[in-house]
Amino acid sequence: MAKTESTLKNMVLTLLVITGVAGTSLGFMFELTKGPIEAAKKAKQEAAIKMVMPEFDSLEKDTTIANTNFFRASSNGELVGIAIEAVSPKGFSGNIKIMVGFKPDGTIINYQVLEHKETPGLGTKMADWFKTDKGKQSILGKHPETNKLTVSKDGGEVDAITAATISSRAFLDAVRIAYETYNDNKSNEPVAANTSAEEGGTE
Amino acid sequence: MNTLTISPSPHVHSGDSVKKNMYGVVIALLPALAASLYYFGLGALIVTLAAVLSCVFFEWAIQKFLLKTEASILDGSAALTGLLLAFNMPTNLPIWIIIIGSLVAIGIGKMSFGGLGNNIFNPALVGRVFLLISFPVQMTLWPEPGKNMTAYLDATTGATPLSVMKEGLANGETVSALMDKIPSITELFYGNMGGSAGEVAAVALIIGLIYMLIRKIITWHIPVTVIGTIAVFTGILHLVNPELYAGPLFHLLTGGVMLGAIFMATDYVTSPMSNKGMVIFGIGIGIITVVIRVFGAYPEGVSFAIIIMNGFVPLIDKYIKPKRFGEVAKTTKA
Amino acid sequence: MNVVLITIISLGALGTLAAIILYFVAQKFKVFEDPRIDQVEEALPAANCGGCGFPGCRAFAEAMVKADDISDLNCPVGGADTMSAAAAILGKEVEAAAPMVAVVRCNGTCENRPRITNYDGATSCTIASSLYGGDTGCSYGCYGLGECVDACAFDAMYMDEKTGLPVIIEDNCVSCGACVDACPKNIIELRKKGPKSRRIYVSCVNKDKGAPAKKACSVACISCKKCQKACPFEAITIDNNLAYIDYEKCKLCRKCVTECPTNAIHELNFPPKKPKVEKPAPEAAE
Amino acid sequence: MEYVLIVISAIFVNNIVLSQFLGICPFLGVSKKISTGIGMTGAVTFVMVIATIVTFFIQKAVLEPFGVEYLQTITFILVIASLVQLVEIMLKKVSPPLYQALGVFLPLITTNCAILGVAILALGLEDTNIVKSVVFAISHAVGFGLALITFSGIREQLDLMDIPKGMKGTPIALVVAGLLALAFMGFAGIV
Amino acid sequence: MLKTFSLGGVHPAENKFSAGKKIEVLPIPEQVSVPIAQHIGAPSEPVVKKGDEVKVGQLIAKSTGFVSANIHSPVSGKVFKIDDVLDASGYKRKAIIIKVEGDEWNEDIDRSDDLKTDITLSGEEIVKKVGESGIVGLGGATFPAQVKLSVPPGKTCDVLILNAVECEPYLTADHQLMMEKGEEIMIGTEILMKALKVTKAIIGIENNKPDAIAHMSELAQKHEGITVESLKVQYPQGGEKQLIDACIKRQIPSGKLPIEVGAVVQNVGTTFAVYEAIQKNKPLFERVVTVTGKSIEKPSNFMARVGTPVSNLIEAAGGLPEDTGKVIGGGPMMGKALSSIDVPITKGSSGILIMPEKIATRKPVQNCIRCSKCVSVCPMGLSPYLLMTVSDKAVWDRAEEEKIMDCIECGSCSYTCPSSRPLLDYIRLGKGKVGQIMRSRTK
Amino acid sequence: MNQWNNFSKGFFKENAVFTLLLGMCPTLGVTSSAFDGLGMGLATTFVLVMANLVIAIIKNLIPDKVRIPAFIVVIATFVTIVEMTMQAYLPDLFESLGLFIPLIVVNCLVLGRAEAFASKNNIGSSIIDGLGMGLGFAMALTILGAIREILGSGKIFGTVVFPEDYGMLVFVLAPGAFIALGYLIAFINQVKKEA
Ligand SMILES: Cc1cc2nc3c(=O)[nH]c(=O)nc-3n(C[C@H](O)[C@H](O)[C@H](O)COP(=O)(O)O)c2cc1C
Ligand SMILES: Cc1cc2nc3c(=O)[nH]c(=O)nc-3n(C[C@H](O)[C@H](O)[C@H](O)COP(=O)(O)O)c2cc1C
Ligand SMILES: Cc1cc2nc3c(=O)[nH]c(=O)nc-3n(C[C@H](O)[C@H](O)[C@H](O)COP(=O)(O)O)c2cc1C
Ligand SMILES: Cc1cc2nc3c(=O)[nH]c(=O)nc-3n(C[C@H](O)[C@H](O)[C@H](O)CO)c2cc1C
Ligand code: SF4
Ligand code: SF4
Ligand code: SF4
Ligand code: SF4
Ligand code: FES
């Protein structure tokens, strides 16, 4: 079994061929998976939106607002909810990104944690904690204007996740940001046409 | 004629023994135990007993069934580990958690390395830190001193001065305002505050220190450097901004500084061998403690500081040697 | 298609670049290292025991590659197979070294050698030997503290609790000589494994004269010279009041064994002796 | 200040070995002696910094402009592999003593996750630029070194002790690594 | 504050039972066996043969090198044989065995008790005479004295230090010698000063011998250049390096000799022997030996002839007690356990210590708990726990790095260790191996 | 070589994790649950098999000097394929495995097998070796993941075994990974010795 020798020609040729083949197959693979990847991403966002909104038949993304995703959902032409993505940098280890759904009057419908790097078992509990109707944990159905949505340690009316006050603060901070965004932009009304959920979902 | 015994010199021994040292430390801890019973009552008793008994049991069981070596539980080191573990836990900790802590301390922290003398990290602190991270909720609920002396699990809970300080500062309050929310310095000195079983009463711990120094169980190097470093470091921070950083007295008298500096950093097995090494070790503990307390997520950093420095002990021992005889003159190496 | 094209081009370019750079650098910075060292090392048993006299297998491999004549080099652990394999790599020849095995030349069991003092120091023969000659009247014999056993990396030794003497497990012994070096009393010797692993040796190292030797230990060599006279092959020499059997000369006839009045001469792996039947045959061929 | 935070974070808080699980193989493999630990640290630092610089430019000059970021893995690893080999060949010739010291570690580095990991993570920094990436890489290398050298110190000491038979070798090393990681968790939250 | 050495040290119970006991002259035994290796260095060469008649003080074995010593007959009688006998080393070694007949001394020995104060010999002659008289260090190391007195070229000596510390517990030989032969020691000191060409001599005495300090200080006033230094009771104050450190605050560098710092140390017993050799022409064949122990009937100090069996001394002190577990030649810290009480006394025997069985056996060894007590007591600033471990695991290069060769084998570490670890046993083992390695390297 | 041995050695005798200590980063990094461990293990197996296959085919065509770069390109290609596929069809798993997917490239196990086995053996053996090694690796990761999951959060493959409050959080975090693996290896060594 004669091995190919390490001459310049051989070396270059080998690597060229290998990289070439690799490139070709990767390129095609990329083309192939491009669609599904996008779809998966979109599906995830949609799932989040659906989660934090009541039933709706049309969804529209407000592209006028910079730096965030802002969706209006309506049912039968009537605005039923607003979903807003918000990020707080105050997490225990990095940013916390959530999506909060508001009723048109500002009451919190539901939320979904999108991205975070909090400690498993501690900060990660926020995914359910603030939805659980136990003690003063839940923020669902609360209104940031009338309810003081900070942790009880800081004088608010929400129980922090045990042993994860920092994450809880950050989470509530993100809720606050979401609400402010809502406040600043809810007047941008009216919304219009029957854009379908599929179309409005992404850029 | 008698059969003569032959052995190399020396033919006499000081009579010092492992047991004497270990029980010496236990005796030195008695004032702190008394203080703990005084402040926390039943809970302190239960926690201490549970920890000591389970540590001794695990040591015995592991030696007997896993390592199949002769059991050496009578030397007192396992009991001491149990006692110190108990002193590092809130007095309303459920017993099953204490048992896990003891298993970790003895099983992972000590016996995995081959038992007494071989471990790299302080077993009691391994146990405590393991619990702290595993059960952050239970490990940070502190019974209030002097209240519900007969209650165990359902004692009223309060905060430790350190967590009050940490929380308060995080919320932008000032040190002077917060100092009013915690007991006075004298009360801190006598131990009237929330905290782990054995750490609260500085005065009792200092009595223990004096006892151990007199009996020559330990030397001054580690306790003094740890306490000194913390005092100096927090003193400097306090001078820089008295409203953002609490003063040295506050830091020395709260939390586990005294317990750690006197009883845990001094653990023979996990501290350096040379005096110079001990000084470096002590300074390291002091600095890390303050860094964690002031800048980190945890209100308290002594335990972490000690086990972090435990990790550096082999390096310290390798590079920092005791002063050698004739070294001064040996500048020109032959 | 665009992406695919870019992919191919950028990857290809990178690959080519890497190849070219690697080629030129390799050309410019060429260093020669004998690849045979690696090969030889691979052929060795990797026990790193030092039995060959070199600090570890790699050093031995280097020495083999460098040496012109490898006849004095031997890896006792691997034995002849390994050596010929290694030699084959180098295209050299080896003479098969005779297989050896360790023997303990002391039979001073508790029964044979009454204890007169009581040792209470650290468990180390070397330490004991710096103090005194031993617990018994014989200052040449084994201390029974097992330094040799600790030295053996091949589990070929153990201390016999009853006799207080080390025992060699023949099958495990690779004749590395670690025990020989470890024993402060030079009690252990590497001897040729005779045919069928048979051997005869004087199991005593006492250099005292007959009377004190016998007094100290009932199975001591008392240098009575009977064995020397009995040996038809002049394999036995007596020096310093001690008989020694040269294993090169010994033909395993076993004449000396019966001669020895103190049973100091041991035989190993012979079939049980039929009572009183003398075999004149010099070779114990069976 | 930002740089200080990067440094502290990389060395203590998010130590690459003890909390990010990168470069574990060399951490376990070449930590039996302090001297080899130091050698490995040197080699890793060297390659990590160079690799981070080169991959930074590849990312910014090739992958991003052409929109083929998905080739990150393959291009980076190709660069690292070639780089390591390059360094090895050159070192052998240029500085044999240094090669003696570092050489044996070099081939191990190709498959050291820490190098590729840091190269990729460096691009994830906020407002990343080349200086920041280099600082990032150096700090991670120091963090790697800190963990490795401390660990090898401990292992050297363990060598002189009588560890129970079942725990000897890898098991006890892993437990020590675990306890070290436990200790380092104390730094959590500093940045 | 009393002077003492700068690092480490311990304070074992002193137990000086034989203190104040007058030196008794031990009856001459029926037979003596005089080993030919009684000193550090090459064994001597016998110059008599079986059947020869010898007188007390007659040369019977000749020095065989620079570091070696003459041996003189301690008795008069007939050489019975030259054979291997068990000696204090625990091995059979060559010895000259003499059957005693009468007590006839060489004529040129001055047996009177008169004090001879003027030193007639020159420095060089003194050194030569010391050599001829077979004088070795009586402090325990038995190093030939004339070697120490011959200051090597290029070095200078500016102070003589007399080692009268007797820091070993139990032993009182030097103490008693000072009390009874103080004047002679003073003159011996002057002789040594003359030989070394120094003008200063310091006598270092531990503070647990106040009578000796007072006595010697008084005598010293009459002798120019001699001072007495009272030292803290701390073992190993008598170690040469420690003593120099304590008295003149100079530390001998690692691997160097006292002369490096301009000092020579001699034991008081040696000094007395020098006096007798120079002024009375009497070679070294007898010495003061303490026989002591907790349960011995009559702890005593004897003037005994070299070669006398240890059993004779024990008999004279009331016999071997029932509970004897160990017989030690020397003190409890550095002495050597004897494997038989029939071994002969040699020039280096400063004491015979009988230990009851109960304290003679060691406690079981436990793991090192890294208490660092051994480190803090080591007078040489070593790390005994580590030295033991590396010796046990045979990591010789590390042992050398950790300066195992600096260990003076004082035993403070083993004495202190709460885990009863045999530290010094293993350190000795390591020293042996490392010494071998180092020697093979220089070859 | 006996193909069954060749296949089975990866599970026990030469298990990458338990005895060879290869691929430790993913072993520790992504085993906070049994499912993640399994996913990672299978992804690695795929890469391992494919890489072994391709390398066994082209081994003789590659000059020595570019051997490593060439091998690594092959491996990286498959890794990227896995990465994209997973992103498209298993986005959740992709997210929780995070950085460790691209890092399969540098998993010493993959390159190690390529170097040590595939570059010396024929195609069939190489595939079987890859499969055995990969599945052994997956098995190890799953076991470790299961242990950590159950100790850390009282679940196994997401099924609750005991309430989460009784779980020891450490086992989900970095230190627990090391410790659990340490004792697992000690245990396996013991079993092996007795076997
Ligand atoms: C390893 C580690 C992980 C942690 N993770 C979190 C976290 O995810 N979220 C959080 O708020 N705090 C986290 N903490 C911080 C502590 O749990 C801290 O005690 C707590 O945030 C504040 O205490 P409290 O909530 O009991 O008031 C973590 C600490 C450590 C050491
Ligand atoms: C630990 C130790 C303790 C010693 N103690 C004494 C002692 O108490 N008295 C003494 O004369 N020599 C003692 N020596 C011996 C001295 O170091 C030194 O050898 C002696 O004083 C030199 O004098 P010499 O040659 O006249 O014996 C001791 C040695 C050591 C190592
Ligand atoms: C090989 C050797 C050479 C020595 N040379 C000299 C010397 O030249 N001058 C000197 O004063 N002492 C010399 N000594 C004696 C030592 O300094 C020391 O007194 C002797 O070893 C006994 O001391 P000790 O009882 O403290 O161990 C020498 C010792 C040895 C072992
Ligand atoms: C002064 C002193 C302090 C000790 N401190 C501790 C300690 O903090 N934690 C512990 O587990 N054991 C401690 N011990 C006991 C003992 O050293 C410990 O069990 C060993 O670490 C186990 O190998 C201490 C012992 C002494 C003498
Ligand atoms: S018995 Fe001796 S020669 Fe044989 S293997 Fe063991 S150490 Fe080597
Ligand atoms: S043969 Fe030698 S080494 Fe072995 S036990 Fe006997 S004396 Fe010790
Ligand atoms: S015997 Fe050696 S190591 Fe021990 S204390 Fe004395 S000088 Fe130090
Ligand atoms: S005195 Fe004993 S237990 Fe203490 S450190 Fe030294 S050897 Fe270890
Ligand atoms: S898998 Fe080996 S270094 Fe990460």
Side-chain angles (χ1 to χ4, degrees), chain D residues 107-171:
Chain D
L108 287 171
I109 288 180
T110 316
T111 53
N112 180 344
C113 311
I115 307 280
L116 183 60
V118 166
I120 294 177
L121 288 173
L123 296 168
L125 290 172
E126 262 170 57
D127 319 317
T128 177
N129 62 46
I130 183 71
V131 181
K132 216 186 245 180
S133 297
V134 169
V135 172
F136 185 80
I138 292 177
S139 328
H140 272 96
V142 171
F144 179 80
L146 180 82
L148 182 63
I149 292 167
T150 311
F151 188 61
S152 42
I154 296 177
R155 290 187 76 177
E156 229 174 64
Q157 175 158 334
L158 288 177
D159 255 4
L160 294 176
M161 296 182 157
D162 299 311
I163 306 298
K165 258 199 235 84
M167 294 299 293
K168 263 211 181 93
T170 323

Side-chain angles (χ1 to χ4, degrees), chain C:
Chain C
M1 257 318 113
N2 193 13
V3 175
V4 179
L5 220 58
I6 292 174
T7 303
I8 297 173
I9 292 169
S10 49
L11 263 190
L14 205 62
T16 316
L17 207 65
I20 292 173
I21 293 177
L22 270 180
Y23 175 79
F24 281 110
V25 171
Q27 286 299 310
K28 205 157 163 102
F29 296 93
K30 205 175 231 156
V31 194
F32 178 73
E33 194 184 36
D34 200 327
R36 291 177 306 170
I37 297 177
D38 285 330
Q39 292 167 355
V40 174
E41 193 188 355
E42 211 150 282
L44 296 174
N48 286 316
C49 63
C52 50
F54 291 90
C57 296
R58 169 114 195 150
F60 182 65
E62 264 171 49
M64 273 191 80
V65 171
K66 281 206 195 95
D68 295 325
D69 174 19
I70 55 173
S71 56
D72 336 328
L73 299 171
N74 182 35
C75 168
V77 178
D81 292 349
T82 301
M83 285 310 288
S84 46
I89 293 169
L90 302 175
K92 293 173 186 168
E93 287 283 324
V94 270
E95 262 173 68
M100 309 275 272
V101 66
V103 297
V104 179
R105 290 192 298 159
C106 176
N107 191 25
T109 60
C110 306
E111 277 162 29
N112 296 337
R113 210 164 42 137
R115 299 292 187 256
I116 53 177
T117 52
N118 169 22
Y119 178 70
D120 185 30
T123 329
S124 150
C125 303
T126 312
I127 290 174
S129 78
S130 68
L131 273 180
Y132 73 139
D135 273 346
T136 69
C138 166
S139 54
Y140 298 92
C142 175
Y143 289 109
L145 297 171
E147 200 146 305
C148 45
V149 175
D150 292 343
C152 181
F154 299 91
D155 283 334
M157 295 185 95
Y158 65 92
M159 289 304 295
D160 188 326
E161 302 264 320
K162 269 228 288 303
T163 59
L165 293 172
V167 181
I168 285 155
I169 306 166
E170 239 173 75
D171 293 343
N172 290 1
C173 178
V174 299
S175 68
C176 69
C179 51
V180 176
D181 295 339
C183 179
K185 306 284 253 186
N186 293 322
I187 287 170
I188 304 181
E189 187 196 5
L190 292 181
R191 289 183 76 91
K192 203 156 87 182
K193 255 187 184 169
K196 301 204 171 158
S197 200
R198 287 171 180 169
R199 53 198 175 275
I200 295 176
Y201 62 97
V202 179
S203 187
C204 181
V205 288
N206 190 323
K207 295 192 180 115
D208 283 344
K209 291 197 187 95
K214 176 82 184 167
K215 190 172 157 232
C217 176
S218 63
V219 293
C221 166
I222 53 172
S223 56
C224 64
K225 307 206 163 99
K226 281 190 180 159
C227 53
Q228 192 175 27
K229 287 182 200 124
C231 180
F233 307 101
E234 299 188 329
I236 303 183
T237 48
I238 303 214
D239 230 352
N240 271 324
N241 306 320
L242 179 63
Y244 177 74
I245 304 177
D246 185 336
Y247 53 75
E248 297 289 0
K249 290 186 186 154
C250 173
K251 298 268 198 302
L252 303 173
C253 71
R254 296 201 278 169
K255 284 203 170 124
C256 49
V257 179
T258 36
E259 283 302 315
C260 181
T262 59
N263 293 324
I265 303 182
H266 283 208
E267 47 174 36
L268 274 179
N269 297 328
F270 287 91
K273 223 178 280 174
K274 286 160 208 142
K276 298 285 172 217
V277 180
E278 297 240 348
K279 270 199 178 171
E283 249 152 313
E286 231 163 294

Side-chain angles (χ1 to χ4, degrees), chain F residues 154-190:
Chain F
K155 285 185 268 192
I156 185 153
F157 281 108
T159 329
V160 177
V161 176
F162 57 82
E164 191 167 357
D165 286 348
Y166 292 88
M168 289 175 266
L169 201 51
V170 190
F171 284 101
V172 183
L173 306 174
F178 286 106
I179 293 174
L181 183 62
Y183 286 101
L184 190 60
I185 290 181
F187 176 75
I188 284 175
N189 285 347
Q190 201 63 33

